[in-house]
Amino acid sequence: MDYSEGEMEEDETEWNNSFVDSVTAAASDPSLNKTSGPTPAHRVILHFDLDCFYAQVEMIRNPALREVPLGVQQKYIVVTCNYVARDQGVTKLMSVAVAKEKCPQLVLVKGEDLTRYREMSYKLTELLTSYCPLVERLGFDENFMDITKMVERRLAETPESYNFSFQGHVYNRLSADVKASDHPRLALGSHIAAELRDAIHSKLGLTGCAGVATNKLLAKLVSGAFKPNQQTSLLPEDIGDIMGSLSGVRKVPGVGHQTAKRLQALGLVSVKDLQLFPLGDLGKEFGGPSAQRLKNLSLGVDDSAVVPTGAPQSLSDEDSFKKMSTTKDVLEKIQELLSSLVERMHKDGRPPQTFRLTIRRYSATNKWFGRESRQCPIPNHVGQKITSDSADDAVVQLVPLAMKLFHKMVDCSAAFHLTLINVCFSNLQTRGAAVGGKGSITSFFTHSTSQSQDASSDHQLSAHGVMTQFTPPQKTVATESPRGSGAELYGLNRKQRPAVAVKKPPLQKESCSTTRSHPEIPPGTHRLPPNVDPEVFRLLPEELQKELLSPADTNSLPGLPTCSPAAVNVPNITTNKSPQSVSDSRNIKDVEGAVAKSDPPDWTTTVNRRPEGLSAFLGENVTEEGRPSFPRPADCEFPGNVDPTVFSELPPDVQRELMSGWKQQKAVLKTPSSRKPGRRSPMIKDRKAAGKGTQANNLLKYFKP
DNA sequence: CTGGGCCCCT
DNA sequence: AGGGGCC
C-alpha cells in the first residue's frame, strides 16, 4: 500500500514514468493531492540518531565513565567517544595514538564485540516499533519512522481551536516566529518525536537527536542540526536552505565516496552543482535511474518509503588483523568466529540456508582493497542444528564447509597474507515449521507476546502492540521488567541456553566415540587418526605424514599439538596442547569432530580418494576433474620463460600479482586495457578459476593511472 | 583509510 | 561474487 511514492526506483522500464508521477505528486501542493492512492502526499518522517551510541552504552554499563573522557576502541581506532572527550579534541574514527595525544587522560573501552551495542540497538528499534510499525533501521544507532498515520489520527482528534506549536528546534527559524498552524502535521510530528525521545530515555536510558521532516533524506539531514540530545524540524519552505547548506555532494546521504569522486570528475562538487547539472548528462555517467536519484537527492526530494527493517537478513561476524598467513591460524580464526556466530544464530532461531566466507587480502599497492567471498548452501540438517539444541555440533559441521570455501579462494601452496576474515549466515529460514517444534520455539512466542502488551499498554502513544514481529527468539528481551530501566537489560538473556545445552559435555570422548561408530574400518587402510588436525597434518613433511598414516598408529596416536608444524617432532607428539591454544580446548576437538561427522564412512578407505569436500578441507589442490593432488608450488602456472627458482624468491605480493596476471592471460587472450570492468567480465565467468580471474582483474587495476 | 556490521543492486 | 553505501 505504501507502494505509492516510487519504490520502483530501479525498475528500468517504468522508472521514468513513475518517477515523474511521484515527484509531481510530492512537489505539488500537498493538500490537494490526496486522490492519488493510499499514499499521503504529506508524510511525516522522523529520524532518530543516538548520541555517540557505543559510548553511551558503555556509560550506562559503568556510570563512572560519564565523568571522564571516554573512547570506544576497536583495534587501534577510537570509533566513537563521549562528549567529554570530544571537548578535548577527540573525534570519531581517530587513531588511538592521536586520540591519546590530544587527550592523555582518555579512557578507552574495547568495543570490538558488538553484542551489547547490538542488543541495545534492537531494544531501541523494538521500542519504536511498539509505537508505530514503520521503523527502518540504519546501522545500529539510527532509525527512521513514518508516523504519518499517527499524525493524521492526532490531527483528527485535535480541536478546531488548537494552538499548534513545535517541540524543539525548527531549522533556520526562531521557534517563536514560526506559525505552527501552517504546518500542523510537522508540528504534531515534533511532539511525537519529543515523546518518543522521552520514552527512549526513560526506558532505555539513551539520549539522542531526532529530525522531523517530510521525507527520510530531510529528516536525516535535519536531525543533526543541533547535536547532542536535541531535535529539529524542517519546514518545507526551508528545504532549499538545508540542501544548500551542505558543504559538498558527499554530505548528501546516498552519495558515498565513489559516487562523489565520479561526480567530481564531472566537475560537480557542491550540491548546487549537482542540482543544476543536466539530467541527461548525468545519466550518461550513472545511468538513468541512478542519475535521477542523485539529482533528486540534491534537491531534497526523496520518495523512498520507510521500509520496516524487521529481523536482520544476515548475521555475520568478522575480525581483522595485521597478518594471517597460515592455514592453521585461518582455521582457528574461522572456528572462533563461527562459534560466536552460531551462538547468535541460535538465539535468533532462524536456520540459515547459506553460508559465506569472505576475506581481505593484503596487497602492497592498496590494502584497503576489496574483499572476496565464496558462499555455499548449508545442508539442511546442519542448519537445523544451529537453531536447535546443539550449537557445538553445528560448528563442528560448519568448519569444514568454511575451510572448503577458504581453499576455493586461497591457494595454500603459495604464500598468502590475509587481513580480515568474515563469516556470514544468510538466507534465514523465516517460518520455522521445519524447526521440528521443540518446545523452545513456542515458549518464545508466548513470552515475547506478553511483553509487547506491556510495552504498548502503558502508553497513550502506542497504536500497535506488534513488537514481536521481528523480535529474535531472544526471549530474553522480555526480561525487561515493567519498570525496566537499564540494569537488567543486559546479560540475563544468556542463561536460558545451558538448560538445554547441558545434555552433552563437549569432550573428546564425544568425537572419539563418533569416530568409532565405524569400527568396520578395514585394517591397513590409510586414514587420519581421529585426533589429528588435518590442517596441521597437511603441513607436515611427507615423511611425517606417512608415519602418521601407518596403520599401527591409527588408534593410538595422541593429538597433534596445535602449535606451528615446524615445532612438531615426531616422537614427541603427545596430547600436550600448546599453552597458547588451551584457552579453548574445543578448537581442535571440534575440528576432529567435524572430520569424523562430515565424512562419509568411505573416506577412510584411502587417502587419495576422498570426497571433494574433505580434500578441500585438507587444503589439497583439486583439479577440475576432481582429482586431488597435494600442493605443489605454482602448479603448472609458470609461463615457460620464467625460472621457478627466481620466482620463488620474489616477495609474496609480487608472486601473487604475477600469478594473477598469468592466469588472467590464460583466461582472456586480449590484454585487459579496458577500463570498464563490466565489459570483459562475462568472458571469464565460465572458468572454474573465475575467482582468480576476478582477482587478476582487481590487481590489474592497480596499474591504471 | 580506520572498524564491525548491515543493506541493496547488479 | 562483487560493488557501493550507511552507520
Side-chain angles (χ1 to χ4, degrees):
Chain A
M1 60 150 68
D2 235 358
Y3 153 90
S4 64
E5 280 193 295
E7 238 13 51
M8 23 190 47
E9 309 187 25
E10 306 301 344
D11 184 319
E12 330 208 353
T13 62
E14 296 203 0
W15 191 84
N16 248 322
N17 291 334
S18 86
F19 169 74
V20 170
D21 290 342
S22 65
V23 164
T24 49
S28 63
D29 186 341
S31 55
L32 60 87
N33 211 333
K34 289 266 180 175
T35 68
S36 68
T39 179
H42 219 308
R43 294 183 295 163
V44 180
I45 308 295
L46 303 185
H47 176 255
F48 290 95
D49 190 343
L50 295 173
D51 305 325
C52 54
F53 179 46
Y54 292 2
Q56 263 202 89
V57 171
E58 298 301 338
M59 289 159 76
I60 290 171
R61 226 186 21 147
N62 178 1
L65 295 175
R66 291 185 182 279
E67 328 267 325
V68 304
L70 169 68
V72 177
Q73 175 181 196
Q74 286 173 345
K75 290 302 181 305
Y76 56 94
I77 291 293
V78 178
V79 291
T80 192
C81 60
N82 68 3
Y83 278 81
V84 180
R86 284 184 203 194
D87 287 343
Q88 308 189 21
V90 184
T91 68
K92 293 182 181 186
L93 298 185
M94 194 164 77
S95 82
V96 169
V98 176
K100 283 262 185 149
E101 163 184 334
K102 297 228 175 211
C103 175
Q105 335 86 292
L106 183 65
V107 175
L108 291 173
V109 172
K110 291 276 191 185
E112 281 127 2
D113 183 347
L114 303 185
T115 305
R116 293 173 257 131
Y117 315 135
R118 185 184 297 111
E119 287 175 358
M120 187 59 100
S121 174
Y122 275 99
K123 282 182 193 297
L124 172 60
T125 302
E126 288 177 31
L127 179 62
L128 294 177
T129 304
S130 73
Y131 294 97
C132 164
L134 298 181
V135 179
E136 178 178 341
R137 293 163 56 82
L138 188 59
F140 278 9
D141 73 329
E142 295 185 22
N143 288 272
F144 291 102
M145 268 178 105
D146 185 334
I147 58 165
T148 306
K149 285 251 157 71
M150 210 177 309
V151 166
E152 292 296 342
R153 215 177 327 108
R154 281 200 187 191
L155 192 56
E157 292 168 0
T158 78
E160 207 45 59
S161 60
Y162 184 77
N163 195 13
F164 287 98
S165 69
F166 275 93
Q167 280 279 315
H169 303 92
V170 177
Y171 184 84
N172 253 199
R173 301 213 121 78
L174 281 36
S175 26
D177 43 287
V178 322
K179 282 180 293 214
S181 56
D182 287 351
H183 306 283
R185 293 173 182 80
L186 288 174
L188 290 178
S190 75
H191 280 80
I192 292 175
E195 293 166 26
L196 289 173
R197 287 202 305 129
D198 195 68
I200 292 167
H201 186 60
S202 64
K203 297 205 167 198
L204 301 178
L206 295 168
T207 67
C209 295
V212 186
T214 51
N215 66 229
K216 290 201 290 180
L217 203 221
L218 298 171
K220 179 174 171 54
L221 284 179
V222 80
S223 70
F226 294 90
K227 280 289 303 221
N229 196 21
Q230 298 168 73
Q231 69 178 66
T232 314
S233 303
L234 179 72
L235 306 183
E237 55 263 43
D238 294 321
I239 292 176
D241 285 355
I242 197 172
M243 295 314 297
S245 78
L246 301 179
S247 63
V249 289
R250 182 61 239 272
K251 300 297 183 182
V252 178
V255 178
H257 216 1
Q258 300 303 316
T259 307
K261 274 186 169 174
R262 292 169 68 182
L263 289 173
Q264 192 179 12
L266 297 177
L268 311 178
V269 325
S270 76
V271 171
K272 194 148 291 175
D273 291 339
L274 184 50
Q275 289 172 351
L276 299 178
F277 197 69
L279 181 58
D281 296 353
L282 204 58
K284 287 172 179 158
E285 278 296 318
F286 293 91
S290 295
Q292 256 305 356
R293 213 194 79 244
L294 287 171
K295 188 143 206 186
N296 282 349
L297 294 178
S298 76
L299 295 166
V301 172
D302 172 21
D303 41 15
S304 67
V306 172
V307 178
T309 302
Q313 308 205 352
S314 67
L315 300 202
S316 65
D317 200 349
E318 74 185 50
D319 197 1
S320 67
F321 24 78
K322 289 294 183 190
K323 171 170 183 156
M324 168 128 359
S325 49
T326 73
T327 322
K328 181 176 92 63
D329 287 343
V330 168
L331 172 58
E332 287 175 2
K333 179 57 71 181
I334 281 178
Q335 203 187 16
E336 175 188 325
L337 293 172
L338 268 178
S339 294
S340 77
L341 185 58
V342 161
E343 203 175 319
R344 281 171 56 200
M345 282 305 313
H346 179 89
K347 292 185 216 156
D348 182 288
R350 296 166 297 169
Q353 297 181 279
T354 111
F355 173 76
R356 172 169 46 199
L357 180 76
T358 111
I359 63 173
R360 187 221 285 147
R361 329 174 93 107
Y362 178 87
S363 180
T365 34
N366 55 351
K367 66 193 210 175
W368 58 92
F369 189 67
R371 304 138 112 100
E372 314 164 39
S373 66
R374 294 292 186 274
Q375 62 182 266
C376 68
I378 299 175
N380 234 299
H381 48 99
V382 180
Q384 305 297 342
K385 271 193 176 173
I386 296 175
T387 50
S388 65
D389 47 6
S390 56
D392 286 341
D393 271 5
V395 172
V396 155
Q397 316 261 122
L398 287 163
V399 165
L401 264 185
M403 291 310 292
K404 177 173 173 173
L405 295 177
F406 172 71
H407 289 301
K408 282 191 182 182
M409 287 183 285
V410 177
D411 177 5
C412 289
S413 67
F416 61 90
H417 183 333
L418 308 183
T419 62
L420 175 141
I421 296 183
N422 174 298
V423 293
C424 176
F425 290 127
S426 58
N427 231 316
L428 276 22
Q429 216 173 61
T430 137
R431 259 325 182 181
V435 167
K438 294 283 187 183
S440 57
I441 293 296
T442 32
S443 76
F444 153 63
F445 280 126
T446 61
H447 200 348
S448 69
T449 293
S450 70
Q451 185 220 2
S452 78
Q453 284 180 349
D454 266 0
S456 60
S457 62
D458 61 355
H459 257 32
Q460 47 167 359
L461 266 184
S462 72
H464 326 265
V466 278
M467 177 183 311
T468 63
Q469 47 176 307
F470 68 88
T471 302
Q474 288 272 23
K475 343 6 181 167
T476 98
V477 179
T479 57
E480 185 182 8
S481 70
R483 294 210 68 69
S485 74
E488 68 268 53
L489 293 180
Y490 306 105
L492 302 185
N493 326 357
R494 219 131 310 297
K495 292 316 173 189
Q496 74 247 1
R497 246 243 284 178
V500 198
V502 276
K503 64 160 211 179
K504 156 192 147 190
L507 257 70
Q508 47 262 71
K509 299 281 180 151
E510 183 75 20
S511 55
C512 284
S513 73
T514 308
T515 305
R516 288 194 189 113
S517 68
H518 307 297
E520 61 281 14
I521 295 166
T525 59
H526 291 327
R527 62 185 290 271
L528 280 182
N531 49 356
V532 170
D533 179 350
E535 284 296 326
V536 176
F537 175 84
R538 187 187 66 77
L539 298 170
L540 295 174
E542 196 176 341
E543 311 243 331
L544 294 188
Q545 291 177 353
K546 279 184 190 165
E547 285 206 43
L548 289 172
L549 288 174
S550 100
D553 291 327
T554 305
N555 278 327
S556 59
L557 255 192
L560 285 172
T562 58
C563 55
S564 140
V568 175
N569 65 9
V570 204
N572 272 349
I573 296 178
T574 62
T575 45
N576 119 46
K577 309 284 180 193
S578 77
Q580 294 82 347
S581 63
V582 293
S583 61
D584 191 2
S585 61
R586 289 181 314 153
N587 275 351
I588 291 304
K589 289 300 166 194
D590 283 353
V591 173
E592 294 163 8
V595 172
K597 296 200 171 200
S598 66
D599 294 333
D602 66 356
W603 81 270
T604 57
T605 55
T606 161
V607 187
N608 287 329
R609 302 232 338 238
R610 300 182 194 119
E612 191 203 0
L614 182 63
S615 293
F617 179 46
L618 292 174
E620 294 166 350
N621 288 334
V622 180
T623 70
E624 284 180 37
E625 295 83 83
R627 288 178 325 200
S629 64
F630 269 82
R632 291 184 292 275
D635 180 31
C636 300
E637 293 296 333
F638 291 169
N641 57 339
V642 172
D643 180 340
T645 308
V646 172
F647 178 84
S648 69
E649 286 165 355
L650 294 172
D653 280 316
V654 179
Q655 285 187 7
R656 192 163 42 249
E657 298 202 21
L658 288 173
M659 297 262 302
S660 298
W662 297 329
K663 292 187 179 181
Q664 165 86 30
Q665 287 172 18
K666 279 171 54 173
V668 204
L669 293 180
K670 224 197 277 197
T671 78
S673 56
S674 150
R675 226 146 163 272
K676 311 279 191 161
R679 261 277 168 253
R680 224 169 19 80
S681 59
M683 310 199 56
I684 62 173
K685 203 165 80 171
D686 54 326
R687 269 323 226 146
K688 266 240 159 108
K692 314 212 169 186
T694 302
Q695 189 206 347
N697 277 347
N698 298 336
L699 289 167
L700 287 165
K701 282 197 215 162
Y702 301 157
F703 301 108
K704 310 290 186 190

